[in-house]
Amino acid sequence: MTKKQILIMTLVGISFLSNLSSLFAQSPEWSESKRKKGIQVLTRPFAGSNLDEFLGRTEVDASISQVIALLTDPASCKNLYHQCKELTVLSGTEKKSVVYLRNGAPWPVNDRDLIMDRGFEQNNKTLATVMKIKRLDSNARPTPSGVTRMENFEGVWRIIPQANGKLKIEYQAHFEPGGSVPQSVINLVLTDTPYESLLNLKNLVEEGKHKDTKYDWIKEPAKN
């Protein structure tokens, strides 16, 4: 092997290690913030932001369709989603829609709102289903007086069939609230939002809410 070939291989190796190091640096480890009533909440730094990303996890004994119905029911604004004041579908279908969301905040912080794209996808093999939500730069619904429009929001709800017949539910998101929000309020949002929303979901499942709902575009796992 010539000196030139050795030099090239060395440079390639350095570049590979540098890229690998950068990849790991962009994906910091999750740290547990809360574990209670069968719900786990994790947080981790989010690249380019001063605010952490959150991830909540739990399991429920339900059908995929039931969970989807609970997540999309307009009544879920107050029955499921933590601090939600309004959830209105502006356009679209059950599977893909544009939605207006307004969340409350403790005084003296302004409520936050946003318009977001909401869509479902299902893996044909694993049947894992996701609801992706992302802020849209839209004025389809004006921001009310005294409310601050969020600068960014991106999240996903995962509905994952398990071998025990239950569904693992994950709620992961990152947001930029815009305006001025005390760090103490941000810290509460990062833990309370996924925890309280998942706890509400578990309670609604146990109550049998939307238990008989079926969607023709959703395939359910076979019952053992």
Side-chain angles (χ1 to χ4, degrees):
M1 184 178 295
T2 66
K3 290 183 178 180
K4 183 177 180 181
Q5 289 174 319
I6 293 174
L7 177 61
I8 291 174
M9 291 186 67
T10 301
L11 291 174
V12 170
I14 292 173
S15 176
F16 173 77
L17 291 174
S18 175
N19 291 335
L20 189 62
S21 175
S22 175
L23 177 62
F24 281 110
Q26 292 172 6
S27 302
E29 293 293 324
W30 292 100
S31 60
E32 186 174 273
S33 298
K34 191 169 188 175
R35 183 189 290 266
K36 188 178 179 182
K37 296 184 178 180
I39 300 169
Q40 180 188 35
V41 177
L42 307 159
T43 58
R44 69 177 179 183
F46 189 86
S49 174
N50 293 324
L51 303 182
D52 287 351
E53 178 181 22
F54 68 70
L55 170 63
R57 292 173 173 160
T58 193
E59 284 193 355
V60 296
D61 188 1
S63 67
I64 297 174
S65 292
Q66 181 184 10
V67 174
I68 291 175
L70 290 170
L71 293 177
T72 57
D73 185 350
S76 292
C77 172
K78 297 180 180 179
N79 295 338
L80 193 156
Y81 296 112
H82 184 57
Q83 297 284 18
C84 182
K85 285 190 172 181
E86 183 181 348
L87 181 67
T88 302
V89 177
L90 301 179
S91 63
T93 64
E94 291 175 336
K95 196 172 181 180
K96 186 172 179 60
S97 56
V98 175
V99 180
Y100 173 81
L101 174 70
R102 176 175 173 176
N103 276 355
W107 186 89
V109 179
N110 286 347
D111 287 357
R112 261 51 183 181
D113 77 345
L114 75 156
I115 296 172
M116 58 187 184
D117 177 77
R118 182 177 73 185
F120 288 92
E121 299 175 2
Q122 184 176 42
N123 185 295
N124 290 329
K125 293 183 179 179
T126 66
L127 304 187
T129 306
V130 297
M131 182 178 82
K132 295 181 179 180
I133 42 181
K134 186 174 183 178
R135 179 188 180 276
L136 289 176
D137 186 12
S138 168
N139 292 316
R141 179 77 175 270
T143 300
S145 176
V147 177
T148 300
R149 181 136 296 180
M150 296 180 68
E151 294 180 356
N152 194 28
F153 182 90
E154 188 167 358
V156 59
W157 283 81
R158 302 184 187 92
I159 309 167
I160 309 167
Q162 302 294 290
N164 62 6
K166 294 185 177 183
L167 300 175
K168 180 165 74 172
I169 309 296
E170 295 186 341
Y171 177 26
Q172 180 178 346
H174 175 263
F175 63 93
E176 297 290 345
S180 177
V181 182
Q183 188 60 46
S184 58
V185 173
I186 293 294
N187 291 339
L188 282 175
V189 171
L190 289 174
T191 55
D192 288 359
T193 296
Y195 176 78
E196 295 294 340
S197 298
L198 287 170
L199 181 61
N200 290 338
L201 177 65
K202 286 169 67 74
N203 290 337
L204 290 169
V205 166
E206 290 175 3
E207 292 170 9
K209 185 75 172 177
H210 292 303
K211 183 177 181 180
D212 297 325
T213 299
K214 304 293 181 185
Y215 295 102
D216 57 13
W217 44 274
I218 286 294
K219 184 177 180 181
E220 300 285 350
K223 294 294 184 180
N224 294 329

